[in-house]
Amino acid sequence: MSQNFQEKLSPKRVLITGGAGFLGSHLCRRILDGGDEVICVDNFSTGRRRHITPLMDNPRFELVRHDVSFPLYLEVDEIFNMACPASPIHYQNDPVQTIKTTVNGAMNILGLAKRTNSKVLQASTSEIYGDPLVHPQPEEYRGNVNPIGLRGCYDEGKRCAETLFFDYHRQHQVRIKIARIFNTYGPHMHPDDGRVVSNFIVQALKGEEITIYGDGGQTRCFCFVTDLVDGLCRLMDTGDDVTGPINLGNPVEISMTQLAETILELTGSRSKLTYLSLPPDDPTQRRPVIARANEVLGWQPKVDLENGLKETIAYFDSLL
């Protein structure tokens, strides 16, 4: 009997919280394609049913509508904790609920992992570095975060979640993994999530002014969603001695003005650039050090920005 056939006889039960969201929905498909069962948990505050509708007929896919800030009781083998609004517009819309999702949600998921002896991966974020004073950002950097600013509900919530994960690991031997996710883009992004890639593409396709916050010189690095999901799966598949945190992101840096000009060229749009004041605590630069991901996971991004943007533009064009 082949190994692949044997694996299909006993698939893992994989819980993905936030499974109808941008990253979560891609992760659901990736896990199903690998032959395992997926329990998708989402309260649809920012997730969308259309992201997972193509998966509903798969007998190995199950949808549970639930808010992770309340306990949940399931029998699972692995958990990807992806639940939390990730764009500033969404997480600042209800900052108290954002804190509940990140902190209470982490405690509930860790409690489930402890009971079931499941491996559990926390989708952390580059936002834990805040507006960094160290560039590029290695995992050892502890960050420069404003705990009382508008972004604090998300930044500090994610930082507290990392603390909880390591405390459960040390005190209860929970098998944890922490991925610090840098800017990611691709199909299933919200057209109105306020993130720079979706903003620029939607404005370009509609022929509206491209709104750039600040002088356009601030930089980001953009990882295509399939590369990011591959990194998450590689991290989950590591042994119990690998806990992270591990940065996952594309280290190729680009300014906001350069990004806008690239999108204008790819869309053929004649939209004009307009510059607005920079929001409070908005980081001026971000770039991950991914040496640890490369060494431990054998991972590095494969999709370049131009090809990733073409696929993302086609997705938004179909929505609009």
Short mmCIF file of all heavy atoms in Angstrom, two decimals, residues 195-234:
data_model
loop_
_atom_site.label_atom_id
_atom_site.label_comp_id
_atom_site.label_asym_id
_atom_site.label_seq_id
_atom_site.Cartn_x
_atom_site.Cartn_y
_atom_site.Cartn_z
N ARG A 195 -6.26 48.43 2.77
CA ARG A 195 -4.86 48.09 2.59
C ARG A 195 -4.35 48.68 1.27
O ARG A 195 -5.11 48.87 0.32
CB ARG A 195 -4.66 46.58 2.60
CG ARG A 195 -5.08 45.93 3.91
CD ARG A 195 -4.62 44.50 3.96
NE ARG A 195 -5.57 43.64 4.63
CZ ARG A 195 -5.33 42.40 5.01
NH1 ARG A 195 -4.15 41.87 4.77
NH2 ARG A 195 -6.25 41.68 5.61
N VAL A 196 -3.06 48.92 1.23
CA VAL A 196 -2.54 49.71 0.12
C VAL A 196 -2.70 49.00 -1.23
O VAL A 196 -3.06 49.64 -2.24
CB VAL A 196 -1.06 50.09 0.39
CG1 VAL A 196 -0.17 48.85 0.45
CG2 VAL A 196 -0.56 51.06 -0.64
N VAL A 197 -2.48 47.70 -1.30
CA VAL A 197 -2.58 47.00 -2.59
C VAL A 197 -4.02 47.04 -3.10
O VAL A 197 -4.28 47.38 -4.25
CB VAL A 197 -2.08 45.55 -2.47
CG1 VAL A 197 -2.41 44.76 -3.74
CG2 VAL A 197 -0.58 45.52 -2.24
N SER A 198 -4.98 46.69 -2.24
CA SER A 198 -6.38 46.70 -2.67
C SER A 198 -6.85 48.12 -2.98
O SER A 198 -7.57 48.35 -3.96
CB SER A 198 -7.27 46.06 -1.61
OG SER A 198 -7.01 46.59 -0.34
N ASN A 199 -6.44 49.09 -2.16
CA ASN A 199 -6.80 50.49 -2.42
C ASN A 199 -6.34 50.93 -3.80
O ASN A 199 -7.12 51.45 -4.61
CB ASN A 199 -6.17 51.41 -1.37
CG ASN A 199 -7.06 51.63 -0.17
OD1 ASN A 199 -8.12 51.05 -0.06
ND2 ASN A 199 -6.61 52.47 0.75
N PHE A 200 -5.06 50.73 -4.06
CA PHE A 200 -4.48 51.21 -5.33
C PHE A 200 -5.13 50.52 -6.53
O PHE A 200 -5.44 51.16 -7.54
CB PHE A 200 -2.97 50.97 -5.35
CG PHE A 200 -2.17 51.90 -4.47
CD1 PHE A 200 -2.79 52.88 -3.73
CD2 PHE A 200 -0.79 51.79 -4.40
CE1 PHE A 200 -2.05 53.74 -2.92
CE2 PHE A 200 -0.04 52.63 -3.60
CZ PHE A 200 -0.68 53.61 -2.85
N ILE A 201 -5.34 49.20 -6.43
CA ILE A 201 -5.91 48.46 -7.56
C ILE A 201 -7.35 48.90 -7.83
O ILE A 201 -7.72 49.18 -8.98
CB ILE A 201 -5.84 46.94 -7.32
CG1 ILE A 201 -4.39 46.46 -7.36
CG2 ILE A 201 -6.68 46.19 -8.37
CD1 ILE A 201 -4.23 44.99 -7.02
N VAL A 202 -8.16 48.98 -6.79
CA VAL A 202 -9.56 49.38 -6.97
C VAL A 202 -9.65 50.80 -7.53
O VAL A 202 -10.43 51.07 -8.44
CB VAL A 202 -10.33 49.26 -5.63
CG1 VAL A 202 -11.71 49.89 -5.75
CG2 VAL A 202 -10.46 47.79 -5.24
N GLN A 203 -8.85 51.72 -6.99
CA GLN A 203 -8.86 53.09 -7.48
C GLN A 203 -8.41 53.16 -8.93
O GLN A 203 -9.01 53.90 -9.74
CB GLN A 203 -7.98 53.97 -6.59
CG GLN A 203 -8.56 54.21 -5.21
CD GLN A 203 -7.57 54.80 -4.22
OE1 GLN A 203 -6.35 54.74 -4.44
NE2 GLN A 203 -8.07 55.35 -3.13
N ALA A 204 -7.39 52.39 -9.28
CA ALA A 204 -6.91 52.39 -10.67
C ALA A 204 -7.96 51.83 -11.62
O ALA A 204 -8.20 52.38 -12.70
CB ALA A 204 -5.62 51.58 -10.76
N LEU A 205 -8.61 50.73 -11.23
CA LEU A 205 -9.62 50.12 -12.10
C LEU A 205 -10.84 51.02 -12.27
O LEU A 205 -11.48 51.01 -13.33
CB LEU A 205 -10.05 48.76 -11.53
CG LEU A 205 -9.00 47.64 -11.59
CD1 LEU A 205 -9.49 46.40 -10.86
CD2 LEU A 205 -8.64 47.30 -13.03
N LYS A 206 -11.15 51.81 -11.25
CA LYS A 206 -12.30 52.72 -11.32
C LYS A 206 -11.94 54.07 -11.93
O LYS A 206 -12.82 54.91 -12.15
CB LYS A 206 -12.88 52.94 -9.92
CG LYS A 206 -13.60 51.73 -9.34
CD LYS A 206 -14.21 52.08 -7.99
CE LYS A 206 -15.05 50.94 -7.44
NZ LYS A 206 -15.65 51.29 -6.12
N GLY A 207 -10.66 54.29 -12.19
CA GLY A 207 -10.23 55.57 -12.74
C GLY A 207 -10.25 56.70 -11.74
O GLY A 207 -10.26 57.88 -12.11
N GLU A 208 -10.21 56.33 -10.43
CA GLU A 208 -10.20 57.34 -9.37
C GLU A 208 -8.77 57.74 -9.03
O GLU A 208 -7.81 57.08 -9.43
CB GLU A 208 -10.89 56.78 -8.12
CG GLU A 208 -12.34 56.39 -8.34
CD GLU A 208 -12.94 55.65 -7.14
OE1 GLU A 208 -12.17 55.28 -6.23
OE2 GLU A 208 -14.16 55.46 -7.14
N GLU A 209 -8.63 58.84 -8.29
CA GLU A 209 -7.31 59.25 -7.84
C GLU A 209 -6.69 58.18 -6.94
O GLU A 209 -7.39 57.58 -6.13
CB GLU A 209 -7.38 60.58 -7.08
CG GLU A 209 -7.67 61.78 -7.96
CD GLU A 209 -7.60 63.08 -7.17
OE1 GLU A 209 -7.76 63.03 -5.93
OE2 GLU A 209 -7.37 64.13 -7.78
N ILE A 210 -5.40 57.94 -7.11
CA ILE A 210 -4.67 57.00 -6.25
C ILE A 210 -4.23 57.76 -5.01
O ILE A 210 -3.42 58.68 -5.09
CB ILE A 210 -3.44 56.42 -6.97
CG1 ILE A 210 -3.83 55.79 -8.31
CG2 ILE A 210 -2.72 55.43 -6.07
CD1 ILE A 210 -4.67 54.56 -8.20
N THR A 211 -4.77 57.38 -3.86
CA THR A 211 -4.48 58.10 -2.62
C THR A 211 -3.30 57.47 -1.91
O THR A 211 -3.35 56.32 -1.49
CB THR A 211 -5.71 58.10 -1.69
OG1 THR A 211 -6.15 56.76 -1.48
CG2 THR A 211 -6.85 58.90 -2.30
N ILE A 212 -2.23 58.25 -1.80
CA ILE A 212 -1.02 57.81 -1.12
C ILE A 212 -0.89 58.60 0.18
O ILE A 212 -0.94 59.83 0.17
CB ILE A 212 0.22 58.04 -2.01
CG1 ILE A 212 0.11 57.24 -3.30
CG2 ILE A 212 1.50 57.69 -1.26
CD1 ILE A 212 1.24 57.49 -4.28
N TYR A 213 -0.75 57.89 1.29
CA TYR A 213 -0.61 58.55 2.59
C TYR A 213 0.86 58.82 2.86
O TYR A 213 1.71 57.95 2.69
CB TYR A 213 -1.23 57.69 3.69
CG TYR A 213 -2.72 57.55 3.53
CD1 TYR A 213 -3.28 56.44 2.89
CD2 TYR A 213 -3.59 58.54 3.98
CE1 TYR A 213 -4.65 56.31 2.72
CE2 TYR A 213 -4.97 58.43 3.82
CZ TYR A 213 -5.48 57.32 3.18
OH TYR A 213 -6.84 57.21 3.01
N GLY A 214 1.16 60.05 3.27
CA GLY A 214 2.54 60.45 3.45
C GLY A 214 3.13 60.95 2.14
O GLY A 214 2.41 61.27 1.19
N ASP A 215 4.47 61.00 2.07
CA ASP A 215 5.13 61.51 0.86
C ASP A 215 5.37 60.44 -0.18
O ASP A 215 5.95 60.71 -1.24
CB ASP A 215 6.45 62.21 1.23
CG ASP A 215 7.46 61.25 1.87
OD1 ASP A 215 7.20 60.03 1.91
OD2 ASP A 215 8.51 61.74 2.33
N GLY A 216 4.93 59.19 0.10
CA GLY A 216 5.11 58.10 -0.85
C GLY A 216 6.44 57.40 -0.73
O GLY A 216 6.69 56.41 -1.42
N GLY A 217 7.31 57.92 0.14
CA GLY A 217 8.63 57.31 0.29
C GLY A 217 8.67 56.17 1.28
O GLY A 217 9.65 55.42 1.32
N GLN A 218 7.60 56.01 2.08
CA GLN A 218 7.59 54.90 3.03
C GLN A 218 7.53 53.57 2.26
O GLN A 218 6.97 53.50 1.18
CB GLN A 218 6.45 55.02 4.04
CG GLN A 218 5.05 54.91 3.48
CD GLN A 218 4.47 56.25 3.06
OE1 GLN A 218 5.19 57.13 2.61
NE2 GLN A 218 3.16 56.38 3.18
N THR A 219 8.12 52.54 2.84
CA THR A 219 8.29 51.28 2.12
C THR A 219 7.57 50.13 2.79
O THR A 219 7.32 50.13 3.99
CB THR A 219 9.78 50.91 2.00
OG1 THR A 219 10.32 50.70 3.30
CG2 THR A 219 10.56 52.01 1.27
N ARG A 220 7.24 49.13 1.97
CA ARG A 220 6.69 47.86 2.42
C ARG A 220 7.26 46.76 1.54
O ARG A 220 7.83 47.02 0.48
CB ARG A 220 5.16 47.85 2.33
CG ARG A 220 4.42 48.81 3.24
CD ARG A 220 4.51 48.42 4.69
NE ARG A 220 3.67 49.28 5.51
CZ ARG A 220 4.04 50.45 5.98
NH1 ARG A 220 5.25 50.93 5.68
NH2 ARG A 220 3.24 51.17 6.75
N CYS A 221 7.05 45.52 1.98
CA CYS A 221 7.39 44.34 1.19
C CYS A 221 6.12 43.51 1.05
O CYS A 221 5.37 43.38 2.02
CB CYS A 221 8.47 43.53 1.88
SG CYS A 221 10.02 44.43 2.12
N PHE A 222 5.88 42.95 -0.11
CA PHE A 222 4.61 42.29 -0.39
C PHE A 222 4.82 40.85 -0.82
O PHE A 222 5.52 40.56 -1.78
CB PHE A 222 3.84 43.06 -1.46
CG PHE A 222 3.49 44.47 -1.05
CD1 PHE A 222 4.27 45.54 -1.45
CD2 PHE A 222 2.40 44.70 -0.22
CE1 PHE A 222 3.96 46.83 -1.05
CE2 PHE A 222 2.09 45.99 0.19
CZ PHE A 222 2.87 47.05 -0.22
N CYS A 223 4.18 39.95 -0.07
CA CYS A 223 4.28 38.51 -0.32
C CYS A 223 2.97 38.02 -0.91
O CYS A 223 1.90 38.30 -0.37
CB CYS A 223 4.58 37.79 0.99
SG CYS A 223 4.88 36.02 0.83
N PHE A 224 3.04 37.26 -2.00
CA PHE A 224 1.84 36.73 -2.62
C PHE A 224 1.26 35.62 -1.74
O PHE A 224 1.98 34.86 -1.09
CB PHE A 224 2.13 36.19 -4.01
CG PHE A 224 0.89 35.90 -4.81
CD1 PHE A 224 0.00 36.92 -5.15
CD2 PHE A 224 0.58 34.61 -5.21
CE1 PHE A 224 -1.14 36.66 -5.88
CE2 PHE A 224 -0.56 34.34 -5.95
CZ PHE A 224 -1.43 35.38 -6.29
N VAL A 225 -0.05 35.52 -1.73
CA VAL A 225 -0.76 34.69 -0.75
C VAL A 225 -0.37 33.21 -0.83
O VAL A 225 -0.27 32.54 0.20
CB VAL A 225 -2.29 34.88 -0.87
CG1 VAL A 225 -2.79 34.44 -2.24
CG2 VAL A 225 -3.02 34.16 0.23
N THR A 226 -0.13 32.69 -2.02
CA THR A 226 0.22 31.27 -2.12
C THR A 226 1.58 30.99 -1.49
O THR A 226 1.78 29.92 -0.88
CB THR A 226 0.23 30.79 -3.58
OG1 THR A 226 1.09 31.66 -4.35
CG2 THR A 226 -1.18 30.82 -4.17
N ASP A 227 2.51 31.93 -1.61
CA ASP A 227 3.81 31.77 -0.95
C ASP A 227 3.64 31.78 0.56
O ASP A 227 4.25 30.98 1.28
CB ASP A 227 4.75 32.90 -1.37
CG ASP A 227 5.34 32.70 -2.76
OD1 ASP A 227 5.44 31.54 -3.20
OD2 ASP A 227 5.72 33.70 -3.39
N LEU A 228 2.82 32.71 1.06
CA LEU A 228 2.62 32.82 2.50
C LEU A 228 1.99 31.55 3.07
O LEU A 228 2.43 31.02 4.10
CB LEU A 228 1.74 34.04 2.79
CG LEU A 228 1.62 34.55 4.23
CD1 LEU A 228 0.70 33.71 5.08
CD2 LEU A 228 2.99 34.68 4.88
N VAL A 229 0.96 31.04 2.39
CA VAL A 229 0.30 29.82 2.86
C VAL A 229 1.27 28.64 2.85
O VAL A 229 1.25 27.80 3.77
CB VAL A 229 -0.95 29.53 2.00
CG1 VAL A 229 -1.47 28.12 2.23
CG2 VAL A 229 -2.04 30.55 2.31
N ASP A 230 2.14 28.58 1.87
CA ASP A 230 3.15 27.53 1.83
C ASP A 230 4.05 27.61 3.06
O ASP A 230 4.39 26.59 3.67
CB ASP A 230 3.98 27.65 0.55
CG ASP A 230 5.07 26.58 0.46
OD1 ASP A 230 4.73 25.39 0.52
OD2 ASP A 230 6.25 26.95 0.34
N GLY A 231 4.42 28.83 3.46
CA GLY A 231 5.24 29.01 4.65
C GLY A 231 4.53 28.55 5.91
O GLY A 231 5.13 27.91 6.78
N LEU A 232 3.24 28.87 6.02
CA LEU A 232 2.46 28.44 7.18
C LEU A 232 2.42 26.92 7.29
O LEU A 232 2.57 26.35 8.37
CB LEU A 232 1.04 28.99 7.10
CG LEU A 232 0.88 30.51 7.22
CD1 LEU A 232 -0.58 30.90 7.00
CD2 LEU A 232 1.36 31.02 8.58
N CYS A 233 2.18 26.25 6.16
CA CYS A 233 2.10 24.79 6.16
C CYS A 233 3.45 24.15 6.49
O CYS A 233 3.51 23.16 7.21
CB CYS A 233 1.58 24.30 4.82
SG CYS A 233 -0.15 24.72 4.51
N ARG A 234 4.51 24.73 5.97
CA ARG A 234 5.85 24.21 6.29
C ARG A 234 6.14 24.36 7.79
O ARG A 234 6.74 23.46 8.40
CB ARG A 234 6.91 24.94 5.47
CG ARG A 234 6.96 24.55 4.00
CD ARG A 234 7.88 25.47 3.22
NE ARG A 234 7.93 25.14 1.81
CZ ARG A 234 8.94 24.52 1.20
NH1 ARG A 234 10.01 24.18 1.92
NH2 ARG A 234 8.90 24.25 -0.08
#
